Amino acid sequence: MIQEQEQKQTPPLGAQVLVVDDEPLILTSLSRLLTNAGYRVHIARNGNEAVRNIETNRYDLILLDLKMPGLTGHEVMDRIQEKRVDTMVIVVSGDVSIESAISAIRRGAYDFVRKPYEPDEILKRVQNALASRQLELDNRNMAKRLQRSEQWHRYLVNSSLDLIYSLDTEGRFTFVNNAVERILGFPKRELLGKHYTTIVHDEDVLGAAHLFNERRTGERSVRVELRLKHVDESRLHSPGKRFVPVELNAMGMYDSDGDGQRRFIGTYGVVRDIADRKRAEKTIAYQAYHDLLTGLPNRALFQDRLAQAINQAKRDNTQLAVMFLDLDKFKFVNDSLGHVAGDKLLKTLAARLRSCLREVDTLARLGGDEFVLLLPQINEATDATLIAEKILLALQQKFVIGDHELFASVSIGIVLYPDDADTSENLIKRADVAMYHAKNQGRNNYQLFNYAMDAQASGRLALVRDLRNALDHSEFEMHYHPQVDIPSGRIVGFEALLRWNHPTHGLLSPSSFIHLAEETGIILQIGEWVLRTVCGYAIKWRDAGLPPVRIAVNISPQQIQKPHFADNFLKLLEEHQLDPALIGIEITESTIMKDVEQTIPKLIKLGEAGVEISLDDFGTGYSSLSYLTKLPIHTLKVDQSFIRDIPRNAGHLSIVNAIATMARGLGLRLVVEGVETQAQLDSLIGIGCKEYQGFLFAQPLPSGKATDLLRGNHAEQRAEIKIAS
Ligand code: C2E
Ligand code: MG
Ligand code: MG
């Protein structure tokens, strides 16, 4: 045994060795021998000194003489045992009796060397003893470590948030940690001995089988996500938590029996509750694919579904439709009632749109007031137009948003696969083009896409390009539309109307380009040009000695929204030395409403300086009549849509009548726009209207003609005056 160790272990050098002997010669020679061999040697000249040393120092080995005056070697060993001193003893003695040797071994001596000794022999024995001590120390450490690590593991297993289990070869629980109660609600003891399928969701049993299977698990860990059953809700007091999604890591357990053969003894694993992670994944996936305001799919999900639907339609040789829906005048709702009301309207609208659809249809919100609709499995265009009609009809019902009752309408563009386009991108683009067309057709209608529209859309782009050059190329001009005092037939003012002399399209009226100018912001430069041009003419007329008539200029929202609009406007009049009463402005209700707080002070400032402010297109806006009293305006211009059907439409005449009565009550000037026939004029005279602007009197005129008309009107006037006098 000692022999074996000798081969395996190298004795530790630097070990502390105590040599105890009463013979000085032996003491010296032993200590020299050992010191030379690399040990740290201490000496004691008798047993008492040895015990003292042992009590205060730690020795790996003691070479101990037996026969000494005072305490004998045996007694020293007794003390060592009594005091449980951790050391080794080699007895080096001249007493060779077997009794003495036995009693030394009984007292714990490791070896026995006879005097006189061979130096080599004693070194070898010392080496062996120390090697054996080292081994023992190592083992002791290992045992300690093992004990510690077992405690550590037990601690880890029990305090783990994950469920840790082991199963026997049949798949029955042999161990579960405390986490099982928290994760699944099962008391630990209830699960022990049960088969694992007791807690696996029925649909996941098959998938779970290989986790608990000997061949599959092997010694590599296998990871799987599955659902485990939770104890019933009544016991848990947390309703709805029937299944827990978990991630499971399993491994096979093996034992090696006597003959070294590996034997499968079951599986063990770690189960992690991933409900939170699943929930987070779900939320993230939902947010990535849905519009959070309405809960509808967003553009990404729509494109996904559309791509799938196209593939399906291709396979089945069927058609599908895509609709582009844009809420009419939504910006106005947002601007006047605020974004909270706007959001509510969008939500309610989304719900109402949904109610018009089939289960297979996808309605998505692209953003703002734009929605798209995918209608798969369409047989013919009418299948789609029927749904569009259903939508338009459903929107005829009012929306109640807080204290407000609103009417919303949409413009719808419809495109069909594969006739109009065969890629998702083009389908959406062309549905948008068709929607734009619906807007131009007066909103609240649907349009089926056709190729002419596409040409129009590209025409639009070209028009924007031309518009950017129009100012530089001096292609704009102003026309002047007279406003007439009915009783006297005199021109009391003009409205300045913009015209674009387009190099190829000829003379264009604002309806074909003003919205583009507004969308692109070019309206600001154009507006500036209009004002300067109009001021120029006012001066010309004044200098030509013509009677002073007011010219009203139309102002776009973007112009009035400029912070210094009023100041700049007045500065311009001053530069031209023009009386502010000669240049008026026309502004629509919706322009004011876009930013009431900023706009009203500007209007007040202009009004106080003498600039006449007209409310244009009156009657088409949203604000209540009583709101008018709060606006700093001088004139109402009744929108021509009320005049068109007069006298046929008595309702319209009574509306104009109400407006006229109210204007008189508020002391506002009233100009009726769009009078084309004598019958219309007569009806208006019948309700007491005094001024109008319309083709009946004249078309909007280029400046030269307007000057002539003004001069003639003036001469006539003078003639009248002469006759009268
Ligand atoms: P608006 O300010 O309401 O101008 C009146 C429009 O009604 C003019 O159309 C005029 O030609 C038309 N009109 C007047 N009487 C009759 C009639 O008896 N029958 C018919 N059928 N139409 C009549 P126009 O010139 O095409 O202008 C359209 C709109 O373009 C204007 O509506 C105004 O909002 C805008 N606009 C015109 N000039 C300018 C401008 O210089 N700047 C800005 N920002 N907008 C302008
Ligand atoms: Mg106008
Ligand atoms: Mg108008």
PDB file of all heavy atoms in Angstrom, residues 495 554 586 616-618 637-640 673, ligand 3:
ATOM      1  N   GLU A 495     -63.309  90.892 -57.517  1.00  0.00           N
ATOM      2  CA  GLU A 495     -62.550  89.829 -56.871  1.00  0.00           C
ATOM      3  C   GLU A 495     -61.417  89.490 -57.821  1.00  0.00           C
ATOM      4  O   GLU A 495     -61.658  89.267 -59.017  1.00  0.00           O
ATOM      5  CB  GLU A 495     -63.396  88.578 -56.613  1.00  0.00           C
ATOM      6  CG  GLU A 495     -62.548  87.461 -56.003  1.00  0.00           C
ATOM      7  CD  GLU A 495     -63.323  86.189 -55.649  1.00  0.00           C
ATOM      8  OE1 GLU A 495     -64.504  86.076 -56.042  1.00  0.00           O
ATOM      9  OE2 GLU A 495     -62.718  85.313 -55.006  1.00  0.00           O
ATOM     10  N   ASN A 554     -57.971  86.522 -52.793  1.00  0.00           N
ATOM     11  CA  ASN A 554     -58.156  85.258 -52.046  1.00  0.00           C
ATOM     12  C   ASN A 554     -56.867  84.883 -51.321  1.00  0.00           C
ATOM     13  O   ASN A 554     -55.784  84.927 -51.907  1.00  0.00           O
ATOM     14  CB  ASN A 554     -58.535  84.130 -53.007  1.00  0.00           C
ATOM     15  CG  ASN A 554     -59.926  84.335 -53.569  1.00  0.00           C
ATOM     16  OD1 ASN A 554     -60.918  84.120 -52.880  1.00  0.00           O
ATOM     17  ND2 ASN A 554     -60.003  84.793 -54.821  1.00  0.00           N
ATOM     18  N   GLU A 586     -60.255  87.739 -49.050  1.00  0.00           N
ATOM     19  CA  GLU A 586     -61.289  86.713 -48.934  1.00  0.00           C
ATOM     20  C   GLU A 586     -60.652  85.486 -48.296  1.00  0.00           C
ATOM     21  O   GLU A 586     -59.590  85.037 -48.721  1.00  0.00           O
ATOM     22  CB  GLU A 586     -61.858  86.355 -50.321  1.00  0.00           C
ATOM     23  CG  GLU A 586     -62.644  87.491 -50.936  1.00  0.00           C
ATOM     24  CD  GLU A 586     -63.511  87.049 -52.128  1.00  0.00           C
ATOM     25  OE1 GLU A 586     -63.531  85.833 -52.434  1.00  0.00           O
ATOM     26  OE2 GLU A 586     -64.129  87.927 -52.745  1.00  0.00           O
ATOM     27  N   ASP A 616     -65.420  83.804 -47.334  1.00  0.00           N
ATOM     28  CA  ASP A 616     -65.699  83.235 -48.651  1.00  0.00           C
ATOM     29  C   ASP A 616     -66.435  81.902 -48.536  1.00  0.00           C
ATOM     30  O   ASP A 616     -66.333  81.234 -47.501  1.00  0.00           O
ATOM     31  CB  ASP A 616     -64.355  83.013 -49.367  1.00  0.00           C
ATOM     32  CG  ASP A 616     -64.498  83.049 -50.875  1.00  0.00           C
ATOM     33  OD1 ASP A 616     -65.643  83.087 -51.366  1.00  0.00           O
ATOM     34  OD2 ASP A 616     -63.456  83.035 -51.555  1.00  0.00           O
ATOM     35  N   ASP A 617     -67.114  81.534 -49.596  1.00  0.00           N
ATOM     36  CA  ASP A 617     -67.797  80.225 -49.673  1.00  0.00           C
ATOM     37  C   ASP A 617     -68.675  79.984 -48.467  1.00  0.00           C
ATOM     38  O   ASP A 617     -68.775  78.863 -47.954  1.00  0.00           O
ATOM     39  CB  ASP A 617     -66.779  79.075 -49.784  1.00  0.00           C
ATOM     40  CG  ASP A 617     -65.880  79.241 -50.998  1.00  0.00           C
ATOM     41  OD1 ASP A 617     -66.183  80.104 -51.840  1.00  0.00           O
ATOM     42  OD2 ASP A 617     -64.878  78.523 -51.092  1.00  0.00           O
ATOM     43  N   PHE A 618     -69.320  81.046 -47.986  1.00  0.00           N
ATOM     44  CA  PHE A 618     -70.076  80.911 -46.755  1.00  0.00           C
ATOM     45  C   PHE A 618     -71.252  79.940 -46.919  1.00  0.00           C
ATOM     46  O   PHE A 618     -71.956  79.949 -47.918  1.00  0.00           O
ATOM     47  CB  PHE A 618     -70.598  82.268 -46.266  1.00  0.00           C
ATOM     48  CG  PHE A 618     -71.273  82.129 -44.936  1.00  0.00           C
ATOM     49  CD1 PHE A 618     -70.522  81.872 -43.798  1.00  0.00           C
ATOM     50  CD2 PHE A 618     -72.657  82.182 -44.836  1.00  0.00           C
ATOM     51  CE1 PHE A 618     -71.140  81.688 -42.584  1.00  0.00           C
ATOM     52  CE2 PHE A 618     -73.275  82.002 -43.619  1.00  0.00           C
ATOM     53  CZ  PHE A 618     -72.504  81.747 -42.479  1.00  0.00           C
ATOM     54  N   LYS A 637     -69.735  86.058 -48.204  1.00  0.00           N
ATOM     55  CA  LYS A 637     -69.955  85.717 -49.601  1.00  0.00           C
ATOM     56  C   LYS A 637     -70.670  84.373 -49.637  1.00  0.00           C
ATOM     57  O   LYS A 637     -70.092  83.344 -49.280  1.00  0.00           O
ATOM     58  CB  LYS A 637     -68.626  85.646 -50.361  1.00  0.00           C
ATOM     59  CG  LYS A 637     -67.972  87.015 -50.482  1.00  0.00           C
ATOM     60  CD  LYS A 637     -66.816  87.001 -51.449  1.00  0.00           C
ATOM     61  CE  LYS A 637     -67.299  86.905 -52.873  1.00  0.00           C
ATOM     62  NZ  LYS A 637     -66.145  86.873 -53.822  1.00  0.00           N
ATOM     63  N   VAL A 638     -71.959  84.416 -50.030  1.00  0.00           N
ATOM     64  CA  VAL A 638     -72.754  83.187 -50.037  1.00  0.00           C
ATOM     65  C   VAL A 638     -72.225  82.277 -51.145  1.00  0.00           C
ATOM     66  O   VAL A 638     -72.056  82.715 -52.289  1.00  0.00           O
ATOM     67  CB  VAL A 638     -74.245  83.504 -50.281  1.00  0.00           C
ATOM     68  CG1 VAL A 638     -75.057  82.223 -50.280  1.00  0.00           C
ATOM     69  CG2 VAL A 638     -74.748  84.477 -49.229  1.00  0.00           C
ATOM     70  N   ASP A 639     -71.965  81.037 -50.814  1.00  0.00           N
ATOM     71  CA  ASP A 639     -71.363  80.125 -51.782  1.00  0.00           C
ATOM     72  C   ASP A 639     -72.303  79.866 -52.955  1.00  0.00           C
ATOM     73  O   ASP A 639     -73.527  79.777 -52.793  1.00  0.00           O
ATOM     74  CB  ASP A 639     -71.025  78.796 -51.123  1.00  0.00           C
ATOM     75  CG  ASP A 639     -70.155  77.952 -52.028  1.00  0.00           C
ATOM     76  OD1 ASP A 639     -68.993  78.350 -52.268  1.00  0.00           O
ATOM     77  OD2 ASP A 639     -70.645  76.928 -52.529  1.00  0.00           O
ATOM     78  N   GLN A 640     -71.693  79.704 -54.137  1.00  0.00           N
ATOM     79  CA  GLN A 640     -72.517  79.575 -55.342  1.00  0.00           C
ATOM     80  C   GLN A 640     -73.340  78.281 -55.368  1.00  0.00           C
ATOM     81  O   GLN A 640     -74.316  78.199 -56.101  1.00  0.00           O
ATOM     82  CB  GLN A 640     -71.680  79.707 -56.609  1.00  0.00           C
ATOM     83  CG  GLN A 640     -70.422  78.904 -56.643  1.00  0.00           C
ATOM     84  CD  GLN A 640     -69.739  79.068 -58.004  1.00  0.00           C
ATOM     85  OE1 GLN A 640     -70.268  78.640 -59.016  1.00  0.00           O
ATOM     86  NE2 GLN A 640     -68.594  79.706 -58.008  1.00  0.00           N
ATOM     87  N   GLU A 673     -72.678  84.914 -54.575  1.00  0.00           N
ATOM     88  CA  GLU A 673     -71.763  84.499 -55.643  1.00  0.00           C
ATOM     89  C   GLU A 673     -72.469  83.566 -56.620  1.00  0.00           C
ATOM     90  O   GLU A 673     -73.348  82.797 -56.225  1.00  0.00           O
ATOM     91  CB  GLU A 673     -70.590  83.731 -55.021  1.00  0.00           C
ATOM     92  CG  GLU A 673     -69.264  84.358 -55.301  1.00  0.00           C
ATOM     93  CD  GLU A 673     -68.148  83.625 -54.568  1.00  0.00           C
ATOM     94  OE1 GLU A 673     -68.418  82.743 -53.733  1.00  0.00           O
ATOM     95  OE2 GLU A 673     -67.004  83.941 -54.835  1.00  0.00           O
TER      96      GLU A 673
HETATM   97 MG    MG B   3     -66.338  81.812 -53.163  1.00  0.00          MG
END
